[in-house]
Amino acid sequence: MVFSQDKPIGNKVPAFGSLLPELIVRTMRLLGSLLMVITISSCAANSAFRTAPSGQTPCVSRSAVDCSESSYFLLAEDASVDYEIPMGIIEFDDQGALHDRARKDALMGQLRNLASESDLLIAVFAHGWKNNAQYNNGNLRDFKRFLQRLAVADRVACQAASCASRRVVGVYLGWRGLSATWEPFRSLSFWNRKKRAHRVGQDGVTEILGELRKIDASTTNSKLVLIGHSFGGGLVYTATQQILQRDMAFPRQGSISRTLADLIVLVNPAFEAARMTAIREKSGKLQFGQSQRPILAILTSRTDVATRLAFPVGRILSNLFTDYNPARPDQGKLNRTAIGHYEPYQTHRLYLGPPSKTRQKGQDLGFGAALCSWREFQSGTSDQWDLQNGLVLERNAEMSVDGQRNNPYFNVTVADEVISGHNQIWSDEFLVFMYRFIAVQDARGCR
């Protein structure tokens, strides 16, 4: 009797080779399910942290734990400032939408009430990658400390001036910068979080900045300052880029108006230099007078590995099939290099200088001396601003020429001893620069 080789005989067990594909498929499915479980369990929730309803009496925060769910509260008085600093938190979801419009409206109502009583210096901060608006977040704690020091500097700058009664107010923009709690998922969130930051800036934050600018414009001496770090810098730049370019298109008598904010400061921002090309090329051909004040200041640490090395790798991988204009051979480098590390666009450097004859290195002679040095820097009689505590802001050679000295778009390289790496942006040295740089924009005279 002859049997066909294609048919099993009785209960004959199939050969292992015929089972191998099925085993591989089942193993891959098991591994995929396991990876999905790990990924989901490592994800940070896409939900708001500030959910407490606004009461008639604001919560007073004396520690990080206080007011942990409040979207509007007061920073308790301390020895450095003689009033409770109001602070609000606005949160956005991954699509750039407000988590709660009613809470945002309530906050804006509080700010309008404050503006009806006194001038305001509104400082807005957008955090970066791997951060959020949770009460124990390091960026949130440091921003509170910054507000207190800014209040002191602004009070000194406004002595005997019309802004003497001005109050500092803080607004913290919270988004899902921390989307994963475990490694390597935290680091692998680079591409997705960069995209989300730009989405938040394009959608929800644009509305907020428009409302804050209206409050700022309601009184003569009120000011609006925008600050962003890392992907938060990209968020702020996305929200302001088109208005910055529009304002630059209509200069008046050697001066460009600051229509959206009185000052924008981006620290170690994580966006590509290509997005600054239009502003850099056009501003480099304009002539600016002494009345021009800074509009945008980008400050990047030379030792920021995240934007100097990791950022280009991420950009290369996400632009593998991008075509560039052959007439512009620098276009590829512009698209993969973070703005602070693109040398042709750098304008200034910030560093700790040698001791002067009147002070020792690190000794602070006070705001008055720094203000006098700023006046010399602004007038062009000096290309160095001595902040009087050892810090020096110096123009690069191409900016130390008539017409370009007061170019309002700064791209500053920062020494390691001022900002060490990507996240150490709250050092005492850099805090001094930040609050004095903001304060001198509105100070009058030299004392």
Side-chain angles (χ1 to χ4, degrees):
M1 184 179 292
V2 179
F3 295 97
S4 170
Q5 294 181 356
D6 295 332
K7 296 180 181 180
I9 303 174
N11 294 325
K12 183 178 179 180
V13 178
F16 177 75
S18 65
L19 290 175
L20 188 59
E22 184 178 353
L23 287 172
I24 293 175
V25 170
R26 289 183 177 181
T27 302
M28 293 301 293
R29 286 176 178 171
L30 179 61
L31 291 175
S33 299
L34 181 61
L35 181 61
M36 183 177 297
V37 169
I38 294 174
T39 303
I40 292 173
S41 63
S42 73
C43 286
N46 184 19
S47 56
F49 292 97
R50 304 288 165 160
T51 57
S54 298
Q56 300 229 343
T57 303
C59 178
V60 178
S61 175
R62 293 180 172 83
S63 68
V65 179
D66 293 334
C67 313
S68 61
E69 296 183 357
S70 301
S71 58
Y72 177 75
F73 51 90
L74 304 176
L75 300 181
E77 290 184 31
D78 62 17
S80 62
V81 64
D82 60 358
Y83 62 89
E84 295 174 329
I85 299 175
M87 180 171 171
I89 298 178
I90 302 174
E91 294 183 85
F92 304 88
D93 64 22
D94 255 14
Q95 301 306 312
L98 289 161
H99 267 299
D100 191 301
R101 183 166 292 276
R103 285 199 293 270
K104 184 273 297 183
D105 290 341
L107 170 60
M108 292 299 175
Q110 294 278 11
L111 297 184
R112 283 191 291 270
N113 291 337
L114 291 171
S116 68
E117 299 170 355
S118 65
D119 296 317
L120 303 178
L121 171 52
I122 306 173
V124 181
F125 179 75
H127 66 75
W129 190 22
K130 301 180 183 179
N131 285 279
N132 53 36
Q134 196 167 14
Y135 74 92
N136 58 352
N137 183 266
N139 272 201
L140 181 58
R141 292 197 306 267
D142 289 326
F143 182 57
K144 292 176 181 179
R145 184 165 62 100
F146 167 74
L147 291 175
Q148 292 173 324
R149 298 184 70 170
L150 177 61
V152 175
D154 192 59
R155 182 62 56 86
V156 174
C158 288
Q159 284 179 357
S162 57
C163 59
S165 62
R166 186 163 62 192
R167 300 182 66 183
V168 166
V169 175
V171 177
Y172 185 90
L173 303 180
W175 59 287
R176 197 166 168 246
L178 179 65
S179 61
T181 56
W182 298 354
E183 291 291 2
F185 303 103
R186 280 165 58 97
S187 296
L188 291 175
S189 67
F190 173 92
W191 295 275
N192 184 265
R193 291 305 91 194
K194 182 179 187 298
K195 181 179 178 180
R196 290 302 101 191
H198 292 311
R199 179 67 179 268
V200 173
Q202 179 180 342
D203 294 345
V205 171
T206 302
E207 173 191 350
I208 301 304
L209 298 186
E211 292 190 48
L212 290 174
R213 187 55 171 174
K214 187 174 181 180
I215 295 172
D216 161 45
S218 64
T219 58
T220 304
N221 293 300
S222 287
K223 300 294 177 185
L224 176 62
V225 177
L226 311 180
I227 307 167
H229 170 240
S230 185
F231 284 155
L235 182 158
V236 172
Y237 188 69
T238 297
T240 59
Q241 180 180 5
Q242 291 188 7
I243 297 177
L244 290 173
Q245 291 177 314
R246 183 203 65 188
D247 291 346
M248 189 178 59
F250 302 100
R252 296 181 180 179
Q253 299 179 345
S255 181
I256 295 176
S257 300
R258 301 183 291 183
T259 62
L260 178 62
D262 296 283
L263 184 64
I264 302 170
V265 181
L266 309 180
V267 188
N268 288 338
F271 67 88
E272 51 275 21
R275 298 185 61 194
M276 273 287 291
T277 295
I279 289 177
R280 186 71 185 93
E281 290 183 349
K282 181 161 185 177
S283 66
K285 297 177 180 179
L286 298 176
Q287 297 290 309
F288 298 98
Q290 294 183 18
S291 62
Q292 179 68 64
R293 295 292 182 267
I295 294 174
L296 170 67
I298 296 171
L299 301 113
T300 304
S301 171
R302 289 200 296 261
T303 59
D304 179 3
V305 175
T307 56
R308 183 167 58 88
L309 299 178
F311 184 88
V313 172
R315 292 297 295 164
I316 290 171
L317 293 175
S318 60
N319 287 274
L320 289 175
F321 305 104
T322 300
D323 291 328
Y324 297 109
N325 184 352
R328 303 200 65 159
D330 61 338
Q331 207 167 56
K333 187 174 182 180
L334 279 162
N335 197 34
R336 63 177 178 266
T337 306
I339 177 61
H341 298 286
Y342 189 68
E343 291 185 9
Y345 287 179
Q346 293 171 353
T347 61
H348 300 72
R349 62 192 188 104
L350 179 65
Y351 59 92
L352 283 174
S356 69
K357 293 181 181 180
T358 56
R359 60 153 174 81
Q360 296 298 313
K361 190 172 183 178
Q363 178 186 1
D364 193 340
L365 295 186
F367 182 79
L371 176 57
C372 292
S373 180
W374 173 260
R375 293 304 175 202
E376 295 175 356
F377 182 78
Q378 187 72 24
S379 67
T381 58
S382 173
D383 287 317
Q384 294 182 337
W385 176 32
D386 187 344
L387 280 82
Q388 302 300 322
N389 69 325
L391 283 173
V392 176
L393 177 68
E394 182 176 34
R395 295 185 179 97
N396 292 349
E398 60 270 25
M399 307 305 293
S400 301
V401 295
D402 291 340
Q404 280 293 298
R405 280 193 167 91
N406 293 314
N407 187 316
Y409 307 103
F410 291 29
N411 189 12
V412 185
T413 60
V414 183
D416 179 59
E417 57 266 26
V418 183
I419 300 179
S420 178
H422 185 67
N423 292 314
Q424 303 304 315
I425 65 171
W426 306 103
S427 68
D428 288 340
E429 290 79 12
F430 190 63
L431 281 177
V432 170
F433 170 80
M434 283 288 288
Y435 62 68
R436 286 193 175 172
F437 186 59
I438 292 171
V440 295
Q441 308 304 322
D442 205 40
R444 298 290 182 267
C446 177
R447 51 184 184 274

